[in-house]
Amino acid sequence: MGQADNPAGHDGQSGSPRDLPASADLVILGGGIMGLWAAVKAGRLGIRTLLVDAGRLGQGASGGLLGALMSHTPDKWNEKKQFQFDALLALEDEVRWIEAETGLSCGYRRSGRLIPLPKPHLRDIALRHSQDAEANWQGGDGRFRWQVLDEVPQKGWPDAAFAEAGIVHDTFAARVSPRRLIAALAANLANARHVTVVEGLEAARIDAEARRVLFADGSSIAFGHCIVAAGHHSFPLLEAVSPLLSQPIGQPVKGQAALLKADIDAEWPLVFLNGLYVVPHEDGHVAIGSTSEESFDGPFSTDAKLDDLLDRARVLVPSLRNARLVERWAGLRPKAIGRDPMVGPHPDHRQVIALTGGFKVSFGVAHQLADAALAGILGREMRIPPSFTLESHLSLTAR
Ligand SMILES: Cc1cc2nc3c(=O)[nH]c(=O)nc-3n(C[C@H](O)[C@H](O)[C@H](O)COP(=O)(O)OP(=O)(O)OC[C@H]3O[C@@H](n4cnc5c(N)ncnc54)[C@H](O)[C@@H]3O)c2cc1C
């Protein structure tokens, strides 16, 4: 079995319906990046937690290979940009903590990012962003810059032809290995005293009145609180407890990506241009991503759209011209109706809490969104932008 099939390295036999306790203070549905952070943090807080996944931990969108951690542009600063900046800043310490606890590397590095500027007007915009970063990227002791360089710092990474008006060096961007982070979070849970993990058990329905999760195999469990972190499957689960909706509250958006092996340095920065990401990882691996497809036939198949992406990547970064293809991969991102993450208690059933909708940025914010989801349980203030709340998303689709 390849890593993609089993990113957490579990044997899938860690639990079965008959192992279920009668109740749990917290039931978490879904063991992707969202559910795993929630379970790790609940365990730290000593909350008696059951984490259930329909298949294997990390088998959804979180079992991919890109792992780009990039902030929004530093202009037009607002609450959402600040939230994401703070989360990306805090992630470094969170990852170091998990690595220290488990002895496993998550393949994290703040390698920075290069954005070529093919046209002169883009340089003017970039110079303004440079000032915006000085004003808005607070919290890193001035370490983080949006520098405009005249030339590509390293020959062929990317091709100078794309940088006729210069190139931006964003020193804040980072990368993480999605599969290694998932594996480390899962390993942390394997030793957590208060958390039980059950794989291969699909939640069919949440009975919010009775506070029970009903599973597809006919078993069920009572909960004090239930966090719904089942990726795009969260949307139908939450819709079923929300009366009078005029349309779905979210949808899956397919993404394709690939992994190459090349003679590159793991410290090199990410390259980003017009939605194309080139992300150097450890061991000479370079991830290329991603397509964004709202309609698709095979959710997990790859096709000519990925070939096109690979062709573009090899032209943008000539060092990849002869790189060996290691893997092609596709997954379904959870995109909520309001595009923002969807987090927090259901307005009619406050024991049911959403933790989904991270769409393209989940890996940079999931740890912080998990804190917000748990704050609701502990009766603490939920520190997220108002548009992230489940309540706000539901209001967009109420009849
Ligand atoms: C090609 C591609 C590239 C990407 N690149 C990046 C990137 O560079 N940076 C970034 O931050 N993000 C990126 N993303 C987005 C990111 O991967 C996702 O947003 C994120 O993984 C979603 O995590 P999740 O935990 O919400 O859902 P998932 O990872 O999908 O996890 C959901 C889990 O719930 C389980 N489940 C489903 N239904 C049920 C049920 N009924 N009962 C119990 N369990 C259930 C599933 O088995 C699964 O394990 C990318 C996504 C794709 C597809």
Side-chain angles (χ1 to χ4, degrees):
M1 173 173 290
Q3 215 186 358
D5 303 317
N6 189 11
H10 274 236
D11 60 8
Q13 304 296 319
S14 60
S16 69
R18 28 172 215 284
D19 297 336
L20 286 186
S23 68
D25 293 338
L26 173 61
V27 174
I28 300 173
L29 304 179
I33 191 66
M34 294 285 209
L36 285 167
W37 270 122
V40 164
K41 294 194 166 216
R44 271 190 225 168
L45 291 164
I47 300 174
R48 203 168 53 95
T49 300
L50 179 73
L51 171 65
V52 180
D53 196 285
R56 296 173 192 278
L57 300 180
Q59 74 165 9
S62 305
L65 26 87
L66 205 63
L69 302 170
M70 311 192 305
S71 88
H72 292 290
T73 53
D75 59 323
K76 299 184 191 133
W77 206 241
N78 60 30
E79 200 179 352
K80 285 196 254 184
K81 290 189 174 189
Q82 185 69 51
F83 179 90
Q84 195 209 21
F85 179 85
D86 291 342
L88 287 167
L89 195 58
L91 182 61
E92 188 165 348
D93 285 344
E94 295 274 15
V95 166
R96 299 295 171 229
W97 184 87
I98 286 287
E99 290 183 331
E101 287 277 301
T102 60
L104 297 173
S105 163
C106 299
Y108 177 94
R109 183 173 190 87
R110 200 177 288 287
S111 354
R113 154 172 70 153
L114 296 171
I115 310 169
L117 303 169
K119 297 268 180 325
H121 76 278
L122 296 173
R123 186 184 177 94
D124 296 338
I125 296 171
L127 286 168
R128 286 200 296 275
H129 285 179
S130 186
Q131 290 173 354
D132 293 327
E134 268 181 49
N136 298 323
W137 283 6
Q138 301 289 331
D141 305 327
R143 278 184 294 154
F144 306 128
R145 314 279 292 277
W146 188 274
Q147 295 167 310
V148 180
L149 311 177
D150 292 331
E151 287 175 8
V152 171
Q154 184 159 327
K155 194 168 177 286
W157 193 271
D159 191 333
F162 288 89
E164 278 184 15
I167 188 161
V168 170
H169 183 208
D170 151 16
T171 63
F172 185 51
R175 50 89 168 153
V176 70
S177 161
R179 293 173 186 171
R180 288 188 184 183
L181 177 55
I182 291 290
L185 291 167
N188 182 263
L189 288 179
N191 296 319
R193 271 205 316 167
H194 304 282
V195 184
T196 304
V197 177
V198 176
E199 293 175 290
L201 184 58
E202 181 189 346
R205 192 164 71 81
I206 301 164
D207 184 338
E209 297 287 346
R211 291 202 203 168
R212 293 196 82 81
V213 178
L214 313 175
F215 295 101
D217 70 350
S219 61
S220 70
I221 186 168
F223 61 78
H225 288 86
C226 176
I227 290 184
V228 187
H232 70 92
H233 293 279
S234 306
F235 303 132
L237 284 168
L238 290 164
E239 283 158 17
V241 291
S242 316
L244 302 178
L245 297 180
S246 59
Q247 55 180 311
I249 58 172
Q251 66 174 113
V253 175
K254 179 175 172 178
Q256 302 184 41
L259 195 65
L260 303 177
K261 176 102 170 151
D263 186 17
I264 59 128
D265 192 324
E267 296 187 9
W268 287 357
L270 293 75
V271 179
F272 178 72
L273 185 64
N274 298 334
L276 171 66
Y277 301 72
V278 175
V279 185
H281 285 278
E282 309 289 326
D283 313 322
H285 285 122
V286 185
I288 311 294
S290 302
T291 67
S292 196
E293 305 162 50
E294 299 217 341
S295 60
F296 45 84
D297 293 326
F300 306 115
S301 58
T302 61
D303 56 29
K305 295 192 189 75
L306 184 57
D307 298 335
D308 177 56
L309 212 60
L310 282 164
D311 289 346
R312 282 173 55 206
R314 291 183 202 272
V315 173
L316 176 64
V317 181
S319 324
L320 297 178
R321 225 161 256 162
N322 299 317
R324 181 167 61 82
L325 180 68
V326 176
E327 185 182 337
R328 298 162 69 96
W329 181 86
L332 297 178
R333 313 171 177 98
K335 180 184 174 198
I337 183 169
R339 283 189 71 100
D340 289 337
M342 178 185 276
V343 182
H346 192 287
D348 302 326
H349 303 283
R350 301 199 72 79
Q351 286 75 21
V352 177
I353 296 161
L355 181 57
T356 186
F359 194 27
K360 295 186 177 178
V361 299
S362 302
F363 274 83
V365 293
H367 55 299
Q368 215 95 310
L369 297 177
D371 285 339
L374 291 166
I377 294 173
L378 298 168
R380 296 181 188 156
E381 187 195 349
M382 229 181 27
R383 296 189 178 187
I384 50 173
S387 62
F388 286 17
T389 60
L390 174 57
E391 194 159 5
S392 158
H393 287 278
L394 287 173
S395 71
L396 296 175
T397 180
R399 247 199 270 268

